Amino acid sequence: AHRKQDSPSSDAPQAAFCLGPYLGVRLHYSAPLTSDSIPMHTLPLRRHTLKRNQAITTRYQTRCSLSTPPPPPPPLFIMKIISSVQRISLQLRQPAGTALQTAATSLSIHQHQHIDQASRSLLTKAVKLLRKTSLVPKNYESLVSPYCHKPLFAMNREEIRNKDTVRIRKDGVFIPASIQGLDKETANILVLRDQLHHDYLEGRYVIRAPKLPYYTGPIYQIYSYEFNENVVFGDLKGSIKLKLASVERVLAVQMQFDPLLDMPFSVIFKRLLNPAEEGYTPLSPVSTARYRYRVPLVVVNASKCPATKVGNPTRLVHGIDISVHPEMPNPPPGIIVDIENLEFKRYVRAGELKLPEGVQLEMKPETSVLIVR
């Protein structure tokens, strides 16, 4: 019943400046609160005096903290960070820009308390993105070896203590991994978690065994850099220039997932012979050495299959076990099965799969791998 008709005072706080248009965040306005801005249904239904209504209005004003002055505009270097982050690809295919590196090095979030929470969180992501892209060279796409499926970028972790591993996992940029095999010492490294998770979402990883919660993946060519504290821990107090330490050909034999975050937790790689390495000695022509690994089953022409109108293609195995020669170029990352002419409720056996030349099947030919039902 008591509603003020006068306009808000000129000294009332208006819309607060934030980085919404630049960060992709919706801009929030903080209008002055009066009794007109309080919905009538929020007030008690019974009769109250004017003093009671004024007390409710004061309580709403205190709760919304409208007496604080609007924050000043952000510094210029923060705007440079935002513009640089938008130009960097999330697929880690472009190196970190000079503007982003210079701005992130001089960034001190705690000294700029006037930055809103959305801007603060995205600035933190900008620093993480800088640490990821610092490992990726400019010629990323040309680093795919003919004997591997994909390149993988890592960093040595020989100088990291065990208690720091928990901090690294919480940070979410790197995860610990190890390289074993070929009668060499075990190499402890840190790999990019997002790169492994991206390969998992692409279907490159399959379950290693039915009763084990481990995944086996593709053949990588790992580029390991020397340890750099600024990149690993994100302090960015010094230079982030990296020096390449080693290049190895490995197979992802055991990747473990975090059951709560559903993200890679740790990885074990197995060393393989690398024919592309300088000074490599070829194997004997009579050598019977072969590398066995598991690849996913890729279904094609499912839309052209008449049986898919009444059923769905169902895989009956987690993967196909194959073996290749260590010096075979272009090892298959998966086995393709064409179901264009497949009948309804007819099984596809492992022996019926068309394998590339030089690839052997390492499972029983009568094993059922696919059915449309």
Side-chain angles (χ1 to χ4, degrees), residues 341-361:
N341 301 322
L342 186 63
E343 300 177 358
F344 184 66
K345 288 189 177 181
R346 182 188 178 279
Y347 289 94
V348 177
R349 310 294 178 178
E352 301 175 0
L353 299 175
K354 296 181 180 180
L355 303 179
E357 184 179 357
V359 180
Q360 294 183 3
L361 186 67

Side-chain angles (χ1 to χ4, degrees), residues 171-188:
D171 192 32
V173 178
F174 297 96
I175 59 172
S178 60
I179 305 177
Q180 307 172 0
L182 292 183
D183 298 332
K184 297 182 180 179
E185 295 183 359
T186 302
N188 298 321

Side-chain angles (χ1 to χ4, degrees), residues 12-187:
Q14 302 299 326
F17 182 88
C18 71
L19 302 179
Y22 306 97
L23 300 172
V25 182
R26 184 175 299 175
L27 189 65
H28 297 280
Y29 294 91
S30 56
L33 182 62
T34 61
S35 59
D36 294 334
S37 60
I38 302 177
M40 294 301 298
H41 60 83
T42 59
L43 299 177
L45 297 180
R46 63 189 183 196
R47 296 182 180 179
H48 289 281
T49 59
L50 177 60
K51 185 176 181 181
R52 174 66 174 173
N53 289 340
Q54 291 178 351
I56 296 177
T57 304
T58 306
R59 190 186 313 157
Y60 272 79
Q61 291 178 347
T62 306
R63 185 181 305 175
C64 297
S65 301
L66 296 177
S67 58
T68 57
L76 181 61
F77 76 91
I78 294 183
M79 309 303 297
K80 292 183 179 180
I81 291 180
I82 298 167
S83 60
S84 301
V85 168
Q86 293 176 348
R87 293 195 300 264
I88 294 179
S89 173
L90 296 180
Q91 286 78 18
L92 306 179
R93 293 189 177 182
Q94 297 181 7
T98 307
L100 175 62
Q101 179 176 350
T102 305
T105 304
S106 60
L107 174 65
S108 179
I109 298 179
H110 300 290
Q111 295 180 2
H112 302 281
Q113 300 295 337
H114 56 270
I115 304 176
D116 57 286
Q117 187 64 29
S119 304
R120 191 188 303 273
S121 61
L122 286 181
L123 288 175
T124 307
K125 292 181 182 180
V127 177
K128 285 189 177 183
L129 187 60
L130 168 66
R131 294 158 57 192
K132 296 175 186 178
T133 53
S134 61
L135 296 179
V136 184
K138 296 181 180 180
N139 55 344
Y140 173 84
E141 298 180 353
S142 62
L143 294 178
V144 181
S145 172
Y147 302 96
C148 303
H149 298 149
K150 293 192 66 177
L152 185 64
F153 304 98
M155 180 173 292
N156 296 335
R157 63 180 179 103
E158 301 294 344
E159 304 178 10
I160 297 180
R161 296 171 294 181
N162 293 335
K163 65 178 183 180
D164 293 334
T165 308
V166 179
R167 175 185 172 185
I168 293 174
R169 282 198 175 103
K170 283 185 177 181
D171 192 32
V173 178
F174 297 96
I175 59 172
S178 60
I179 305 177
Q180 307 172 0
L182 292 183
D183 298 332
K184 297 182 180 179
E185 295 183 359
T186 302

Side-chain angles (χ1 to χ4, degrees), residues 266-300:
S266 63
V267 194
I268 297 179
F269 298 101
K270 176 184 177 182
R271 285 193 183 94
L272 304 179
L273 295 176
N274 189 8
E277 185 180 7
E278 296 183 2
Y280 172 76
T281 304
L283 297 176
S284 174
V286 295
S287 176
T288 59
R290 301 188 70 86
Y291 287 145
R292 176 177 176 175
Y293 63 102
R294 177 171 289 190
V295 295
L297 184 65
V298 183
V299 180
V300 297

Side-chain angles (χ1 to χ4, degrees), residues 353-372:
L353 299 175
K354 296 181 180 180
L355 303 179
E357 184 179 357
V359 180
Q360 294 183 3
L361 186 67
E362 295 294 338
M363 56 192 309
K364 296 181 180 180
E366 61 273 10
T367 305
S368 301
V369 297
L370 184 73
I371 186 178
V372 178

